[in-house]
Amino acid sequence: MTDPSAAVSSDDYRQLPSIDALLQTMTEELQRWGQAPVTSALRDITAALRADIASGLKPDLSIDAIRHALNSQLAIKSQSSLTTVLNLSGTVLHTNLGRANLPEAAIEAIVKVASAPSNLEFDLETGKRGDRESHVEALICEVTGAEAATAVNNNAAAVLLVLNTLAMHKEVPVSRGELVEIGGSFRIPEVMTRAGCTLVEVGATNRTHLHDFRGAIGADTALLMKVHTSNYRVEGFTCDVEEDELAALASEHHIPFVHDLGSGNLVNFSALGLPDEPTAAQALTNGADLITFSGDKLLGGPQAGLIAGRADLIAQIKRNPLKRALRLDKMTLAALAEVLKLYRDPQTLSEHLPTLRLLTRAQPAIRDQAQALLSAVQAAVLPHYDVSVTDCVSQIGSGSLPVETLPSAALQIVAQSGQDKDLRRLAEALRKLPLPVIGRLHKNALWLDLRCLEADQQSLFVDQLGSLHL
Ligand SMILES: *Cc1c(COP(=O)(O)O)cnc(C)c1O
């Protein structure tokens, strides 16, 4: 006989308490975790113990050992996978880290509508059915100067909806220099296909002229489209058709001119000392009949896609059945309204809106912050790593202003061994902290760019360094 269980006496199994017996002793656990999760975890644990016995092991079958296993199993299961982190990556609007942090007013508004019924689609005046977009449409018009507006789940959805509404079974000429991939497989040509329209490529990658567009327009042309090349820039021998020229050409042919702005900021960036980026209002002034942009990029709000422009086109878009599939939920609408309201007072905007607050932080203040944290970080990583305060550049992120950077300061950590694997080990240890810290590996160092470490998080950051396991 080669069956190992043959060597195990039935006595060994008999020492394993029954589920019923275990449940009797687990009163506290039952209170804490509930009957069904405890029973199911006990089944798993006793099955594992039985398998251990069968393979000839002598596992600890005491109630205490089982209780311990039960609590750790259920604690792991109750953890949320989605958790907050400290973004010290140097990229302010990091798509993988959730982009914009919301202002206090928006968070309060989310909590409010999440916890009670609201007039989401109910007109309190008439007592009849209302329009969920009434809560944001006027505000979007106010900040962009548009006649009408609507909002959907994100900017990818906005582009899809605009194209599907205005150009299904028709042609859309786009400059070859603007056939962008935004990331996460959102590519303009593929979105066009899914929207049911035919892309007509115009010009060359580096140069597109007005006459190229003119030549591409035919009986089947639905609209002209310009896509903001938000995550790269073609430099050198380039030529781009100006917005007002495209607008005039579109109007000559009685077709709309649509401009996908991508990030779509609403305030004059150079006045804030930031790299210049045309505003949504400017894009409309420059002749766009419709613009589309994200809610959670430079706007600093929740994930959303905003569409603004001509009232007749917006009305058509609202009638598209796809609109229902892409619509915003009440929490996003509540947050978006609050964020847009902050734009009414440009003076206090960068104080109240986290995205602008972080983008406009001055390098000397960040350097001082790095200096203040230096000794705590040094103490936590000694003796295998050296830490210093070094100037660096932050990126805006989310494909906004790709070439422009913001002067910042970082704690630059190098491994004494000079080995990459030691840097990666440190990066991993930082990610395993209770509030995971996300840095950036670059040029043989780990950089903790402090631009996005807000004052109220600084002590959280320092206090947990004691539990760094290297
Ligand atoms: C980011 C971006 C999109 C996609 O926006 P999401 O809000 O991420 O869906 C579309 N077009 C351009 C030009 C962009 O920069």
Side-chain angles (χ1 to χ4, degrees):
M1 291 281 283
T2 52
D3 181 359
S5 64
V8 180
S9 82
S10 56
D11 239 25
D12 294 326
Y13 291 109
R14 223 171 283 133
Q15 280 170 25
L16 186 62
S18 70
I19 301 283
D20 278 343
L22 285 168
L23 281 171
Q24 302 258 324
T25 68
M26 302 287 171
T27 34
E28 232 174 76
E29 284 72 18
L30 284 167
Q31 280 240 319
R32 181 158 174 217
W33 307 106
Q35 171 93 25
V38 168
T39 313
S40 147
L42 286 175
R43 286 214 182 91
D44 290 350
I45 291 165
T46 50
L49 290 172
R50 233 175 277 118
D52 282 352
I53 296 169
S55 58
L57 296 172
K58 295 257 176 246
D60 185 349
L61 301 179
S62 68
I63 299 284
D64 275 351
I66 294 173
R67 188 191 308 281
H68 183 77
L70 175 71
N71 278 314
S72 38
Q73 186 170 328
L74 290 173
I76 289 168
K77 271 202 181 154
S78 74
Q79 274 172 5
S80 298
S81 153
L82 188 58
T83 183
T84 55
V85 303
L86 285 180
N87 173 13
L88 306 191
S89 69
T91 299
V92 178
L93 292 166
H94 199 305
T95 298
N96 303 147
L97 303 182
R99 293 194 185 159
N101 308 334
L102 293 179
E104 209 49 59
I107 294 162
E108 281 167 16
I110 289 174
V111 172
K112 243 178 163 170
V113 295
S115 38
S118 62
N119 63 338
L120 178 66
E121 286 184 0
F122 185 78
D123 189 331
L124 291 172
E125 204 77 36
T126 63
K128 301 213 170 92
R129 192 192 159 147
D131 175 9
R132 65 171 58 211
E133 281 175 23
S134 64
H135 308 289
V136 294
E137 177 164 4
L139 285 163
I140 301 173
C141 292
E142 191 179 322
V143 294
T144 59
E147 246 171 44
T150 184
V152 287
N153 185 50
N154 56 18
N155 190 32
V159 173
L160 176 76
L161 186 63
V162 167
L163 290 172
N164 180 262
T165 308
L166 305 177
M168 190 159 72
H169 305 318
K170 291 185 150 188
E171 292 175 356
V172 178
V174 182
S175 163
R176 285 207 167 86
E178 297 174 359
L179 296 175
V180 298
E181 173 176 313
I182 312 298
S185 81
F186 177 81
R187 286 188 180 154
I188 290 294
E190 280 146 34
V191 172
M192 288 205 161
T193 310
R194 290 298 169 127
C197 46
T198 307
L199 167 69
V200 177
E201 296 186 20
V202 173
T205 306
N206 58 335
R207 291 172 73 85
T208 301
H209 306 272
L210 187 63
H211 60 78
D212 294 325
F213 272 100
R214 196 180 286 283
I217 298 180
D220 284 337
T221 307
L223 53 88
L224 293 186
M225 183 169 181
K226 184 172 181 63
V227 182
H228 186 58
T229 55
S230 34
N231 50 6
Y232 72 105
R233 180 178 292 170
V234 182
E235 299 204 50
F237 184 56
T238 62
C239 175
D240 203 10
V241 185
E242 295 295 333
E243 290 158 62
D244 55 349
E245 293 179 306
L246 277 176
L249 181 64
S251 132
E252 200 182 297
H253 289 86
H254 309 290
I255 51 175
F257 168 45
V258 175
H259 192 170
D260 173 22
L261 300 173
S263 43
N265 65 312
L266 300 176
V267 286
N268 183 342
F269 260 34
S270 33
L272 293 168
L274 291 169
D276 197 29
E277 171 86 356
T279 62
Q282 271 170 288
L284 288 170
T285 311
N286 291 348
D289 294 300
L290 282 181
I291 53 172
T292 58
F293 55 102
S294 288
D296 55 355
K297 291 186 181 172
L298 292 175
L299 181 62
Q303 180 188 304
L306 284 68
I307 310 173
R310 252 169 59 189
D312 60 325
L313 301 177
I314 295 288
Q316 247 181 291
I317 288 168
K318 286 187 178 177
R319 286 195 299 269
N320 186 334
L322 257 191
K323 171 80 177 33
R324 170 62 187 253
L326 305 172
R327 75 179 185 184
L328 286 177
D329 76 298
K330 60 186 177 182
M331 292 180 285
T332 306
L333 281 165
L336 183 59
E338 291 307 315
V339 170
L340 290 171
K341 277 198 259 168
L342 293 180
Y343 279 89
R344 287 178 169 158
D345 186 1
Q347 299 289 302
T348 56
L349 185 62
S350 44
E351 182 189 331
H352 295 306
L353 191 66
T355 298
L356 277 191
R357 183 165 69 227
L358 296 174
L359 288 174
T360 54
R361 283 192 70 195
Q363 188 177 35
I366 305 173
R367 219 183 264 140
D368 287 349
Q369 191 185 11
Q371 206 67 51
L373 294 173
L374 177 63
S375 59
V377 175
Q378 267 170 338
V381 300
L382 280 172
H384 303 296
Y385 301 90
D386 290 322
V387 191
S388 57
V389 173
T390 311
D391 285 354
C392 67
V393 290
S394 311
Q395 294 204 325
I396 294 173
S398 280
S400 309
L401 303 160
V403 191
E404 316 285 356
T405 52
L406 308 169
S408 187
L411 291 165
Q412 186 203 31
I413 310 176
V414 295
Q416 293 209 327
S417 67
Q419 294 202 358
D420 244 21
K421 72 170 171 41
D422 288 327
L423 277 180
R424 283 198 302 272
R425 191 159 55 93
L426 176 62
E428 188 187 338
L430 286 165
R431 290 198 304 272
K432 284 192 172 153
L433 286 171
L435 182 56
V437 173
I438 314 298
R440 185 161 69 108
L441 289 167
H442 174 64
K443 286 193 178 162
N444 221 11
L446 179 68
W447 301 71
L448 303 179
D449 183 333
L450 297 179
R451 170 173 298 278
C452 296
L453 186 64
E454 297 235 58
D456 60 346
Q457 299 171 320
Q458 195 161 309
S459 59
L460 282 175
F461 171 66
V462 174
D463 292 347
Q464 63 171 355
L465 286 175
S467 39
L468 191 70
H469 291 299
L470 288 172

